[in-house]
Structures are given as C-alpha cells and as structure tokens.
Amino acid sequence: MMLNEEVDDTEFFQQDFTTASDWELFNARLEEIFHEWKLSFGQAGFRALQHHELVRCEWNVQRETIKFTDVELEVAHYRAILPEGPPDSQPGCQAFVDLMSIENDYCVAVGGDELHPLAQWYGLREFVVVAPVKKSISNESQIRILMSSVHIAVAESSCDVPVFVQVMDKVQNVFLGVCESGSVRLSFDIVHLHLTPPTCKYLSGLLEVFKGKIGIAYVDPVAVSVRFTYSLAHFGTSAYVSERVIPFAERTGIEMASVSLPFGVAIDPLAKLIVHCTWPQVADNVVVDSQTYSDFDPMTAPLWSLRVQLEDTPVCYLAECLGEYLQIVDSRRALTEYFSELAFGATQNLPGTHNPLDLLTESKIPSLSSVLPTIRGGSGGSKKPAKLEGPLTDEQLKDMLYYLFPDAEKPVPRWPYPTTSGRAAEFDPLKIKSADPDSLVHRLATLLALCNAYFGGKRALAQLWAEFTQEMRYRVERCIQIPGVAGGFPDSRTCLLHQKLQMLNVCMERRTLREGGLPFSMTSGATTSGLSGAGTGTAGGDSDEEFFDCDEEEQER
C-alpha cells in the first residue's frame, strides 16, 4: 500500500549542477578580462630594461570592476610605456627577465607621483593587481578562494603577466601573486610582521631565511645588494632663506639700479637630504654582517648617491607675486568701480571741463569767456582735474612714473631704457609673443604685479593704470614720443599692447612731419612730459593757452 502512494517532488531539494555558480562566473569574467587586455601567450619580443627606467617613464593603467558575492573588486593592469627599441635575442618570459635584472634595484620615484610598490620591489614593467574597492580582505578563507580563482584564470588564459591580490590593510601593502610561463610557476608571498626578529636585522639571518625557502641544500655563493640610507631633515641653518626686497616700498636713501619682482624663499625649500651608500652584487662569502661584526662600512661603499626632497608648498616670493597677479586675469570689474571720478559723465558738470564733441559744432568766432580766462565759469580760472586718492603715495607714484617714462626726469634719469633691443633677429613661431626685456610693456607689467601684491591690491593697480593712461593721453595730444618702444612699424612678433604703442609712435611721427616738424630720432633730447604733476591729477590738464582759427581776410593779409 505504501508503494502505491505518490511521492511529492517538492518536498525534496534538487541541485541543478548544470547552472554556473557565482564562483565560476567570477572566474570566467576574470579570464575574459585577461583576454581583452591581450595578456595571453606573452610578448612577441622585448628588450631589457635600462638603469632606473621604470622611474623616468610614464605608466598606463587600465581598470575594470567585477563583483564576487558581496565584495566589489577592481582589476588594474599596470604597464610601463617604454620607448621602442630592437628586441633582445634572449628568450624567455618577460617577467622572469625583469626579476633577474639589477638595473632597477632600489628604484625610488623622485617626482610627486610615487612608483607602485610592486614595480619598486620586483622591478616589473607589467603586472595586474586585484584589490577590493571598499573593505580590505583579511579573512583567510576569502584570501584562499580569491587566490584559487586567480590561479585558475591565469592557467586557463595562458597569461604570463604576474597577477597579484592585495590583502590585509591597504596601508600595509601586502600583495600575494602568481606568474606562470610554460611549465614554470612562480609564487609571490609576503609576510607582515609587527616586530622584526633580531636575526632578520642582519645579512646573516636573512641569508638563512632565503636558503631555507629554496628547499634543497644550496652551497653556491649568493649575490646580494646592500644599501644604507641616511636622511637629514634638520639643517640648523637657513642658508637659502633670502630677504624680500620690494622696489618703491620705502625711501631708504639707496637708489635701486634695477627694478624687478621679489625673488627668493621665506623658508628653506629643502625638506630632507637623503644619502644612499650602496654595495651592488656582492657575494655573501666575502662579507660578514652579523650582530657582533659587520663589513659594511659606509665610508667603504663603492657607490654613493644623494637625493634631495623638497617641500610640497615652498613659500617663494616670485610665485606668490605672480600667483596673485594671475588671479585677476578673469576679473570683470571696471576701473570706475575703484575710482568713481573716472566714470563717464561724472566730470561733465565740473567747472573748467569741456565736451570734446563741442569742437565740431562750436562757432569760429571766439566767445568772451574763452578770451578772458579770469571770468571762465564765474571763477578765478580753470580747475584742475580731481586727484585720485589711492593706496599709492605721491612719492611712490612719481617714482613709478619716472621708471616708466625716464625721459621726463631731469637732469639725469635714474632708470634709462637700453639703447639696443634684446629681441633676436630670427623669428620663432613657437615662442610666446611678449615684449623686449626692460621695455615699457615689460616695466608696466612688473609695476602692476608689484602694486597688486604689495601696495594695496586691485585698487593700487587701478590707480597706477589710470595715471599711466593719463600720461599716454598727454603725450599723444602733444606728439611726444613714447619711450621704451621699438622703432618702426608694429612688430607682429611682440604682444598686442606693444604693437599698439608702436603704432601710436608711428602716427605721432607722421603727424609731426606733416606739420613741418622733425622726426623723433632728431628731437629725442628735447621732449617734455606731463609728469610734473604726477600723482596730483594734472598730467592731462588743459593749458591756459588757447588757439583759434583766423578769418580768411586775415589770412590774405
């Protein structure tokens, strides 16, 4: 009767062995990544690495993210970008050749980007790292499962590039790896100890550990490379610290022969000096290094090297000044926001001011107010333009304008312009367009950077620029040559401001010749400037003398 009863299949658990498990899917995805990166069957040809080439070259990194159960892993392929060269005739696996090479021993990165620890320890030019994205892998069973997956993926894909798995805490840099080539398998193991055993602090104890890992009796000499490193972080002196000298800052009684931006450092830029004493490829049977005696005396080391480690953010005067100056490049604030006196229309109703457009429509018959200046505007004479009150003092502003326009300083200018131009005759299309050294544009840029950094910021910069444009207006109205500008037509090799100043000189010289005057080259010593009122706002003021067009009858007489 029991045999005739039907058995319910739902009461029994059935395992479908035809469906791939998560572990098998992870292994298949890992093999697929190795095939996509073309890591199978090694390199067709390669050359040997040169001395410390892994530090000087760039590195290419490819990354893929895979997930195994609830752990997200990142697979990264590191490959050094080396210059092409003829491959060496030596056969074998590229990883094995790199491991036996001594050219990249003690390879330390000098720049900001540090070399990967695996490339630094083993001298490998190409390797793969499997690392967790968030949490570290510290469970021993998880480590064994992940390592078995890597072994299967390497064997199935015929990958001869070393593959490592990062375990434990990421700060400890513990990597376990494997590399297979043909019938040879190489395992990479790391043991992290909290305390170093006393025997492992010397070469004799390390050799015992090394020979014990071989597994057979090894009697041949072992070649070892030893390096001692000494670092000096506190120097006790500040030999490189220099005093910051700011031109036009104070009247000390000592005139500066040249004006330049501050240069130097406020603190010593050297953070550390590192000395390396190296014994490369020494046989272990000719040296002794134990707890009681050592043959490794730094004074007898055959190779010494010195490395300098600089501060991350040194305080440099020139970089600080130029950095603040470049920050205002994108500023959209107008000059009138700092000095409302320069706004259009703000001076239209002031006594003694005229509208320039009135010259086109005014009558040829002079008015009584123009003939008698004493009753002009009902006051005792024309008023001078208002003074610009800014951070710069009158003495500082006067010296700066004399530095820009030395021809206005009498009798002998303190900062004359050089007589010859420093620009090369050949045209270099790759060179940045600028101006000649120590030219007007060069001096103006230097003063603007100084004003912005040390004399009051943007308001001081705006004050100097307003006085500069006022002096330029004075010179253009009276056809006075602009100094510090190369002669001739505008030079396209220079910046746009320098070309415009050259064009102004050409136009003023043509106007002078048209009116019967002499060229600038013949009247350079007889020019005058409007700097007598520098800093007081009178550089562009109108003169009391006025000229009128005479009638046709008077011209006939």
Side-chain angles (χ1 to χ4, degrees), residues 341-553:
E341 302 91 334
L342 301 177
F344 180 77
T347 60
Q348 297 299 317
N349 299 324
L350 294 178
T353 58
H354 303 276
N355 188 356
L357 299 179
D358 292 342
L359 298 176
L360 302 178
T361 58
E362 67 179 359
S363 176
K364 294 183 178 181
I365 301 176
S367 60
L368 184 61
S369 60
S370 62
V371 177
L372 301 177
T374 56
I375 63 174
R376 183 184 303 169
S379 61
S382 62
K383 291 186 177 181
K384 299 178 180 180
K387 177 184 176 181
L388 296 180
E389 295 292 343
L392 296 175
T393 63
D394 293 345
E395 194 67 27
Q396 290 175 344
L397 189 58
K398 183 178 180 180
D399 288 343
M400 290 182 182
L401 292 177
Y402 279 151
Y403 176 66
L404 295 175
F405 304 99
D407 58 342
E409 188 176 10
K410 304 300 180 182
V412 179
R414 287 172 289 177
W415 302 285
Y417 283 107
T419 56
T420 58
S421 175
R423 180 167 295 276
E426 297 181 359
F427 175 68
D428 187 3
L430 301 179
K431 188 176 181 180
I432 298 177
K433 289 187 176 182
S434 180
D436 292 336
D438 203 23
S439 61
L440 176 60
V441 177
H442 179 266
R443 292 187 178 188
L444 177 62
T446 302
L447 291 183
L448 291 178
L450 288 174
C451 291
N452 179 70
Y454 306 111
F455 291 100
K458 298 179 181 179
R459 185 171 175 82
L461 186 146
Q463 182 184 5
L464 177 62
W465 178 256
E467 294 292 342
F468 173 77
T469 54
Q470 200 172 17
E471 172 65 20
M472 293 298 300
R473 185 181 298 111
Y474 180 90
R475 288 175 175 264
V476 172
E477 289 177 354
R478 290 157 178 79
C479 290
I480 302 176
Q481 183 184 11
I482 302 174
V485 179
F489 287 96
D491 189 357
S492 59
R493 297 175 297 178
T494 60
C495 60
L496 188 59
L497 178 58
H498 187 267
Q499 296 182 41
K500 290 183 177 180
L501 295 179
Q502 285 182 302
M503 180 58 70
L504 286 177
N505 269 343
V506 172
C507 294
M508 289 188 296
E509 187 174 15
R510 293 294 179 88
R511 177 184 171 185
T512 303
L513 294 176
R514 186 171 60 251
E515 295 177 355
L518 297 176
F520 286 157
S521 59
M522 301 179 62
T523 60
S524 58
T527 58
T528 59
S529 175
L531 294 183
S532 58
T536 60
T538 61
D542 296 335
S543 175
D544 291 340
E545 299 180 359
E546 295 189 5
F547 301 90
F548 312 99
D549 295 333
C550 60
D551 298 335
E552 296 180 358
E553 297 179 357

Side-chain angles (χ1 to χ4, degrees), residues 292-358:
T292 58
Y293 176 78
S294 177
D295 288 330
F296 295 111
D297 185 5
M299 300 301 296
T300 61
L303 181 61
W304 279 48
S305 59
L306 177 65
R307 189 161 59 93
V308 177
Q309 184 176 349
L310 302 177
E311 293 285 350
D312 296 334
T313 56
V315 182
C316 302
Y317 300 141
L318 182 61
E320 181 182 12
C321 180
L322 294 180
E324 295 181 2
Y325 187 57
L326 293 176
Q327 290 179 359
I328 64 175
V329 173
D330 299 330
S331 178
R332 298 184 179 274
R333 300 187 63 181
L335 190 65
T336 55
E337 297 185 27
Y338 301 100
F339 297 100
S340 58
E341 302 91 334
L342 301 177
F344 180 77
T347 60
Q348 297 299 317
N349 299 324
L350 294 178
T353 58
H354 303 276
N355 188 356
L357 299 179
D358 292 342

